[in-house]
Amino acid sequence: MKKWLFMSFMALLLLVLAACGGDKKEAASAPAAEGDGGYTKEKPLVIKFSHVTSIDSVKGKAAEAFAKLVDEKTEGKVNVEVYPSSQLYGDNDELDALVSGNVHMIAPSVTKMVKIDPRWQYVDMPYLFENQEHARKFFNSDVAKLILESDQLAANDIKGLVFWENGFKHFSNNKHPLVTVDDFKGLKFRAQAGKVLESQFKALNAGSATIAFGETYAALQQGTVDGQENTFNNFDTQKYQEVQKYFSVSEHGRLDYAIFVNKTFWEKIPSELLTAVEESLNEATTLAWDLAAEENEKSFENIKNSGIEVLELSDAEKEAIKKQLEPVYEEFTDVITEELINGIRDLK
Ligand code: LMR
């Protein structure tokens, strides 16, 4: 009798476990709901969007515009919660948070994707992009799809959607004017991420340290590093003019963004809402591109008016820096791949 009872109990337990497992599997593979999936203004679907720059930066403004468009187009059924200024996650943890689904959307400077795919460092290859038009052609090209739709992203449950623009990077420091290659010698710079930037500074006989964006102001203020490289707009909106004395307009590399989402989360957004969210993203992307040009121009004026010394490098001076940085191509072409580098060059 005891044995029979025990067997029955075990059989029941197995049935319950099998049923639970089945549910889980089904839930993971279930298609997104039709229509609005039952979401309402009162009980909306929440998309958490984390980024590291301030609300008045190019990215900050575009992110706010995206949230507003989504609210309008879904009549409040989708609520994009934007967390700027590394408030929720910073450089060191936002990618992990995306992979684990703790945040649903991020817009990192693409070089920070090096953790998943080193080819994203294409953006740091010195003087690879000729001008803004060239960068824009790339964003919409088949070459860009090599990385935006890569297996590496999918393997991490990430989907790359679109590129947002910022602009060209320039050097600054608080020791002396940077004009010739020799001026960089012995200085230490803050770098965003990855080995390409380390190699870039090494080629200039300078040192570098990877420092999160949210910690860079303090690092410059405290002298942990002497200088940094960034766009006019990031420099200005982070108020680096307060902690830097010399700014060299060098245009030696790009800083642009891509929008990445948690794939599982994204593919579960009910169809009608997803259409509205995608439309909003396309509109916000156009805005982000327009804003990038305008805001960087405004920020350049702010920097010039801030009292720090601004050095606009001549073509010959930029050419000398470019030549000095050639070893970066020798070291990293295999990593970034010729397919990507030549593909970008061919878009000129
Ligand atoms: C940086 O770290 O300098 C940039 O990636 C910040 C940003 O997101 O624009």
Side-chain angles (χ1 to χ4, degrees), residues 110-126:
V110 295
T111 192
K112 292 176 189 168
M113 297 305 282
V114 61
K115 285 186 196 164
I116 285 183
D117 180 350
R119 292 177 301 166
W120 284 101
Q121 295 171 105
Y122 77 86
V123 73
D124 296 323
M125 295 308 274

Side-chain angles (χ1 to χ4, degrees), residues 171 176-189 201 204-207 248 250 313 321:
F171 294 113
H176 52 245
L178 299 176
V179 179
T180 71
V181 164
D182 288 342
D183 298 330
F184 290 82
K185 203 171 172 182
L187 297 180
K188 193 166 176 192
F189 289 84
F201 288 114
L204 293 166
N205 296 310
S248 297
S250 49
L313 303 190
I321 296 176

Side-chain angles (χ1 to χ4, degrees), residues 51-54 57 59 91 94 107-112 166 169 190-193 211-214 216 228-231 233-234 238 240 255-257:
H51 71 85
V52 300
T53 61
S54 67
S57 65
K59 183 161 61 182
D91 282 345
E94 78 173 6
S109 156
V110 295
T111 192
K112 292 176 189 168
N166 192 327
K169 291 181 298 183
R190 175 263 171 172
Q192 292 183 74
I211 296 175
F213 188 61
T216 300
Q228 62 86 52
E229 48 161 20
N230 226 310
T231 62
N233 187 250
N234 275 352
Q238 289 299 300
Y240 291 162
L255 193 158
D256 293 304
Y257 308 117

Side-chain angles (χ1 to χ4, degrees), residues 45-62:
L45 170 72
V46 175
I47 299 180
K48 288 190 182 176
F49 181 0
S50 171
H51 71 85
V52 300
T53 61
S54 67
I55 43 169
D56 56 349
S57 65
V58 172
K59 183 161 61 182
K61 287 186 176 174

Side-chain angles (χ1 to χ4, degrees), residues 61-80:
K61 287 186 176 174
E64 291 301 326
F66 168 64
K68 194 158 171 275
L69 283 162
V70 170
D71 181 60
E72 283 161 14
K73 286 184 199 287
T74 65
E75 293 167 344
K77 290 175 192 168
V78 178
N79 179 14
V80 179

